[in-house]
Amino acid sequence: PELLARVQRLLPLEIREEEVERVRERLHESMALNRLRGTDPAFLAVKQRILRAAKTDVTVLVTGETGTGKELTAQAIHYLSSRASKPFVPVDCGAIPSELFENELFGHRRGAFTDARSHQHGLIAEAEGGTLFLDEVDALPPTVQVKLLRFLEDRSYRPLGSPRALKADVRLVAATNTDLSAKVQESRFRGDLFYRLNVVNLRLPSL
């Protein structure tokens, strides 16, 4: 706030707001991309694609080997987007037991199962207005793949034990270090979900 106030005092009144907004955008770009380090032409090309993807609200699939910066890429997309002031919620799909995943993602209502003594918001509700990042999306159990596909179709979901569906304003970014198209061919990942996730593909070059 102090920096913005100083900038405003230096600028003529008629261009203050417009110029401050441009400065803000440049600062956001610099801070969001600064953690993605590298000078290889292929990597610099990906950074330009990140900037373009962030200006839209489409679903993004980030692919690349372990350690190439998939979560940093997802964070950059979020903080360069119009959702920057809202939550960024990362989910390690490979770390959640399959039998608990639906509850973690969608939440539940009291009485949905034996130990459900109160309502619990899921990760989708926590990411409301912001970005949900599904890392290792290839680890999603088949039953959750079906429900995630339905969510992507109309952004609605049903918490466990709820009599009605809820709407969510959430952008989805997914990541994997495997070849999802090959898994589709092997019937190990749903083809329709793959195409919903792969609207924009950002392939990160090897280190």
Side-chain angles (χ1 to χ4, degrees), residues 49 58-61 194-201:
R49 294 193 66 207
V58 299
T59 303
V60 178
L61 179 64
F194 170 66
Y195 291 115
R196 286 280 184 178
L197 294 173
N198 197 38
V199 179
V200 171
N201 184 281

Side-chain angles (χ1 to χ4, degrees), residues 57-61 130-134 148 151-152 155 170-174 197:
D57 212 27
V58 299
T59 303
V60 178
L61 179 64
T131 302
L132 182 68
F133 173 54
L134 298 180
L148 180 61
F151 173 72
L152 286 171
R155 291 300 193 270
V170 173
R171 181 185 194 169
L172 193 71
V173 178
L197 294 173

Side-chain angles (χ1 to χ4, degrees), residues 15-48:
I15 65 168
R16 284 180 186 176
E17 291 302 321
E18 182 181 346
E19 183 63 23
V20 166
E21 188 57 35
R22 284 202 295 267
V23 170
R24 192 195 308 273
E25 287 180 6
R26 289 198 295 271
L27 284 171
H28 277 194
E29 287 185 11
S30 175
M31 288 186 291
L33 294 176
N34 190 46
R35 296 169 69 193
L36 295 169
R37 300 183 182 275
T39 57
D40 183 82
F43 187 70
L44 295 178
V46 170
K47 291 176 77 169
Q48 289 303 309

Side-chain angles (χ1 to χ4, degrees), residues 3 19 24 28 40 53 60 73 94 101 111 113 116 128-129 136 142 145 156 161 181 191:
L3 177 61
E19 183 63 23
R24 192 195 308 273
H28 277 194
D40 183 82
V60 178
T73 297
F101 207 104
F113 47 86
E128 177 63 28
E136 295 187 41
Q145 288 183 34
S156 67
S181 60

Side-chain angles (χ1 to χ4, degrees), residues 45-93:
V46 170
K47 291 176 77 169
Q48 289 303 309
R49 294 193 66 207
I50 289 171
L51 284 170
R52 291 196 294 270
K55 296 184 187 303
T56 71
D57 212 27
V58 299
T59 303
V60 178
L61 179 64
V62 185
T63 59
E65 298 173 5
T66 300
T68 51
K70 292 186 291 296
E71 183 166 350
L72 291 177
T73 297
Q75 290 175 354
I77 291 170
H78 172 73
Y79 290 113
L80 288 168
S81 75
S82 59
R83 298 177 179 271
S85 63
K86 300 297 182 179
F88 174 84
V89 179
V91 185
D92 185 350
C93 299

Side-chain angles (χ1 to χ4, degrees), residues 1-11 16-17 20 23-24:
E2 181 181 349
L3 177 61
L4 287 174
R6 289 170 182 252
V7 170
Q8 286 175 344
R9 284 199 298 272
L10 291 170
L11 292 171
R16 284 180 186 176
E17 291 302 321
V20 166
V23 170
R24 192 195 308 273

Side-chain angles (χ1 to χ4, degrees), residues 71-166:
E71 183 166 350
L72 291 177
T73 297
Q75 290 175 354
I77 291 170
H78 172 73
Y79 290 113
L80 288 168
S81 75
S82 59
R83 298 177 179 271
S85 63
K86 300 297 182 179
F88 174 84
V89 179
V91 185
D92 185 350
C93 299
I96 302 175
S98 58
E99 65 273 13
L100 299 179
F101 207 104
E102 185 177 349
N103 181 51
E104 287 292 312
L105 197 59
F106 302 114
H108 64 254
R109 292 293 177 263
R110 190 176 69 175
F113 47 86
T114 304
D115 293 329
R117 297 185 178 90
S118 61
H119 297 330
Q120 177 179 306
H121 291 305
L123 295 167
I124 287 177
E126 289 183 16
E128 177 63 28
T131 302
L132 182 68
F133 173 54
L134 298 180
D135 197 10
E136 295 187 41
V137 71
D138 54 287
L140 284 175
T143 53
V144 179
Q145 288 183 34
V146 174
K147 298 195 174 183
L148 180 61
L149 176 63
R150 290 175 183 164
F151 173 72
L152 286 171
E153 287 172 348
D154 61 4
R155 291 300 193 270
S156 67
Y157 68 100
R158 189 184 300 272
L160 294 176
S162 175
R164 62 188 181 86
L166 303 177

